[in-house]
Amino acid sequence: MTKPDFSILTQDNIVAFLGDIFERCGDEEYLGEPVTMAQHMLQGATIAEENGLEEDIIVGALLHDIGHFTSEFGTFSMNDTEDRYHEEAGAEVLSAFFPSVITDCVRYHVAAKRYLCATKPDYFDRLSDASVHSLNLQGGPMSEEEVAEFEKNPNLKKIIQVRYLDEAGKRADMQTPDFWHFAPMVQKIVDGHMQTLAAERTADADTEREAG
C-alpha cells in the first residue's frame, strides 16, 4: 500500500495526517506518566465523549498534545531544563484547518494549567510529578496581570475544560477506542470550518465588487 503524501496538507488529508501521527508515534512514553502519548490524548477525548461534552471539546482534548510530535524541538523529557513549546507547535499545524476554539484549546492548555494553579489553590495538588516539572519550565502559576489577560479569551471555558481532561487522561487501566473512532468528528469540524472560510471569502469578494 502506497504511503499517503503529507508533504502538502489539505482539507482532504489533514485527518489522515493526524491519524498517521497517532499510529507512528503514539506508543511513545508520555512525560513519565503511566500511559503512552496516544493513550493520554485518547483518554481525554473518550472521557469527554462519555460525558456528553461538545464535539469541539472532544476534538480539542484529542489533539491538545499533538505538538509533541510536530515540534522541531521534539518531545518533553523529565530531564528538560527548558520548555519545548509543544502547545504552539500543535496550534500552528492545526490553524489552517480548524476553528479558533480548537486551536485555542491546543495553544492555551499549558497557559490554562498556569491559570488554574494561580486561581484555584487545590488544583496544584492534582498535578503529577511530570506536570509539576513542566509547570516550572513553563513559568509557574500566572501573575495577577496574566490571569486578567487570560480571562479575556472568548474560548476560556472550553480551554479550561480541555485542561481538566488533560489531567484526567493519565489512567493506566483505561481502555479507549483508537483515533479512527473520532476521525469522522474531526473531519466534520474541519469541513465546517473550511466552508465557513470559503463563505467569508465569497462575501468579502462581493463586498469589494460592490465597492468598486
Side-chain angles (χ1 to χ4, degrees):
M1 182 176 179
T2 304
K3 183 176 175 59
D5 179 11
F6 296 128
S7 59
I8 299 177
L9 294 179
T10 69
Q11 177 181 349
D12 296 326
N13 71 5
I14 182 63
V15 177
F17 168 75
L18 297 170
D20 183 65
I21 289 176
F22 269 75
E23 291 185 341
R24 286 187 299 102
C25 308
D27 287 338
E28 292 185 13
E29 179 184 359
Y30 171 57
L31 322 186
E33 304 286 3
V35 292
T36 66
M37 289 294 302
Q39 287 171 337
H40 169 62
M41 292 188 282
L42 288 167
Q43 284 184 15
T46 299
I47 293 168
E49 185 176 54
E50 289 177 345
N51 283 275
L53 300 183
E54 296 168 81
E55 290 186 346
D56 50 11
I57 296 175
I58 297 171
V59 173
L62 178 70
L63 301 178
H64 76 278
D65 267 343
I66 202 72
H68 279 299
F69 302 125
T70 61
S71 171
E72 62 180 295
F73 302 114
T75 58
F76 171 87
S77 164
M78 286 295 284
N79 296 320
D80 281 357
T81 57
E82 295 182 1
D83 188 27
R84 296 177 186 252
Y85 301 102
H86 72 281
E87 68 277 20
E88 292 292 343
E92 181 178 352
V93 169
L94 302 180
S95 62
F97 306 101
F98 290 84
S100 63
V101 64
I102 301 294
T103 54
D104 276 5
C105 284
V106 175
R107 178 173 280 115
Y108 297 118
H109 75 276
V110 168
K113 176 171 65 172
R114 299 182 60 225
Y115 171 80
L116 288 169
C117 285
T119 58
K120 295 185 180 297
D122 63 335
Y123 182 77
F124 182 84
D125 296 333
R126 301 185 182 202
L127 301 182
S128 65
D129 291 344
S131 284
V132 172
H133 178 58
S134 59
L135 173 68
N136 292 331
L137 300 181
Q138 293 155 349
M142 285 185 174
S143 66
E144 291 184 8
E145 293 78 12
E146 288 175 315
V147 166
E149 185 64 28
F150 191 59
E151 288 178 339
K152 295 178 183 179
N153 191 306
N155 295 315
L156 177 66
K157 181 179 178 180
K158 293 183 178 181
I159 295 168
I160 297 301
Q161 286 178 295
V162 167
R163 181 68 229 181
Y164 278 119
L165 292 164
D166 185 348
E167 295 303 333
K170 301 176 182 180
R171 292 166 44 187
D173 61 343
M174 182 178 177
Q175 298 296 314
T176 71
D178 63 14
F179 173 87
W180 304 109
H181 167 81
F182 298 100
M185 186 184 301
V186 179
Q187 189 68 59
K188 176 183 174 183
I189 288 179
V190 169
D191 291 344
H193 179 59
M194 301 306 284
Q195 289 170 7
T196 298
L197 290 181
E200 289 175 351
R201 286 194 291 267
T202 298
D204 289 343
D206 289 344
T207 299
E208 288 182 5
R209 280 196 297 270
E210 291 173 0

